[in-house]
Amino acid sequence: MQSLVVNTKHLWRVWRASLRAGLIREMEFRGNFIAGLIRQILFLGIFVFFINVIFQNTEQLAGWQQHEMLLILALSRIIEGVINLLFTESIMRLPEAVRDGTFDFYLIRPLPAQFSAAFRRPGVDNFGNILVGLILFAYAISAMTTFPSFSSIGLLLFLSALGITIYYSLLILVSSLVFRLERLEMLWAFNILFSEPLTVPFDIFSRAPRFVLTYLVPIAFVVFVPAQAITGRLQWSQIPVAIGIAALFLTLANLAWRAGLRKYSSASS
């Protein structure tokens, strides 16, 4: 137990140093950082505009009112921002690292190879996504007739952490294919495929797609289930299901990663 705590602290220090280096690197090109922030604001503004257009012609969408749709949109910006800040950019670079042989350096570092591959380059430009998401979240909450309870907020945070774990596991599962295929240019496409449905309530889908997106490719737990928690729609039975799915997919991701490593041919071999 003590060694686990020590290792966790060590990994935290390493990631914090990577974050600091990323911030320094990003501030060297402040114009690019500001342009990225403006792009994220415009992107969010377009989504808000379309939601307003939709609700000019209806009072609800699959049972979700306008401020609740804005809440889902806000959570998608916050959670996607955290996901991209933590690991997306690094994982997307894995195929290139395997192809050009720089993955060898991950294997000789005094760090787990998966940690080096997934968390070495924090996407610091995603702070803008998180910021605008928080602003929209505060606005959507203020429009609710009843302010969420502390238990609802706690459930939101807990389920969001599980959702981020599930999303990470899905990316690791897919990216582990690079050790067998050597080229995995479609990894970005999978990331887009996973992230696209996060801005809508999954109640709009028919039964079959909703089942797939809840249990087989469980991205429903990334944003939609946390949104159910904060709006009072969550069923208590969904909590152990979320925990079980997060544990299952994290286990599968680690098994796939280890199996992939056994297939990896070093650039020096």
Side-chain angles (χ1 to χ4, degrees), residues 24 44 67 99 102 113 120 123 151 155 169 186 191 201 204-205 214 216 261:
I24 293 172
L44 182 65
H67 67 275
R99 189 170 61 249
T102 56
R120 76 187 188 281
S151 60
L155 275 175
S169 301
M186 61 180 177
N191 182 47
I204 67 174
F205 299 121
T214 303
L216 302 184
L261 282 182

Side-chain angles (χ1 to χ4, degrees), residues 136-150:
L136 182 60
F137 181 81
Y139 171 78
I141 288 292
S142 68
M144 295 178 67
T145 54
T146 304
F147 192 82
S149 64
F150 286 111

Side-chain angles (χ1 to χ4, degrees), residues 15-40:
W15 185 82
R16 192 173 58 188
S18 298
L19 178 63
R20 184 167 57 249
L23 286 170
I24 293 172
R25 182 173 57 248
E26 197 68 33
M27 288 302 101
E28 291 178 352
F29 306 95
R30 291 182 180 86
N32 181 68
F33 181 80
I34 294 172
L37 179 60
I38 293 173
R39 175 184 61 82
Q40 290 158 0

Side-chain angles (χ1 to χ4, degrees), residues 35-234:
L37 179 60
I38 293 173
R39 175 184 61 82
Q40 290 158 0
I41 293 173
L42 291 175
F43 184 74
L44 182 65
I46 291 171
F47 266 102
V48 171
F49 171 76
F50 279 121
I51 289 174
N52 286 334
V53 170
I54 290 171
F55 281 92
Q56 285 177 0
N57 301 287
T58 184
E59 293 184 357
Q60 60 181 21
L61 182 64
W64 292 75
Q65 298 177 348
Q66 183 174 4
H67 67 275
E68 293 174 323
M69 286 289 295
L70 292 175
L71 189 65
I72 292 177
L73 177 59
L75 285 175
S76 74
R77 294 299 88 208
I78 296 169
I79 294 173
E80 280 192 68
V82 172
I83 285 171
N84 293 334
L85 170 67
L86 291 176
F87 51 77
T88 301
E89 183 173 343
S90 295
I91 294 177
M92 292 302 108
R93 293 173 180 266
L94 180 60
E96 179 184 352
V98 171
R99 189 170 61 249
D100 63 21
T102 56
F103 184 77
D104 290 0
F105 295 106
Y106 303 159
L107 298 176
I108 62 176
R109 290 174 180 171
L111 294 168
Q114 188 181 135
F115 179 87
S116 295
F119 298 100
R120 76 187 188 281
R121 193 182 179 93
V124 296
D125 56 331
N126 282 278
F127 278 119
N129 254 341
I130 299 172
L131 177 60
V132 297
L134 287 171
I135 294 172
L136 182 60
F137 181 81
Y139 171 78
I141 288 292
S142 68
M144 295 178 67
T145 54
T146 304
F147 192 82
S149 64
F150 286 111
S151 60
S152 296
I153 295 173
L155 275 175
L156 167 68
L157 295 175
F158 177 67
L159 290 169
S160 296
L162 291 179
I164 291 170
T165 301
I166 290 170
Y167 199 97
Y168 170 80
S169 301
L170 289 171
L171 287 187
I172 291 295
L173 271 169
V174 176
S175 62
S176 295
L177 292 172
V178 72
F179 299 117
R180 300 175 182 274
L181 304 178
E182 295 185 359
R183 293 182 65 91
L184 195 64
E185 305 299 336
M186 61 180 177
L187 186 55
W188 274 109
F190 273 103
N191 182 47
I192 294 172
L193 181 66
F194 294 151
S195 63
E196 280 299 314
L198 299 183
T199 56
V200 298
F202 279 54
D203 293 328
I204 67 174
F205 299 121
S206 59
R207 182 175 298 179
R210 193 162 64 243
F211 177 84
V212 171
L213 296 175
T214 303
Y215 300 107
L216 302 184
V217 186
I219 57 173
F221 292 94
V222 180
V223 170
F224 179 60
V225 172
Q228 287 181 307
I230 200 68
T231 56
R233 287 178 168 82
L234 184 73

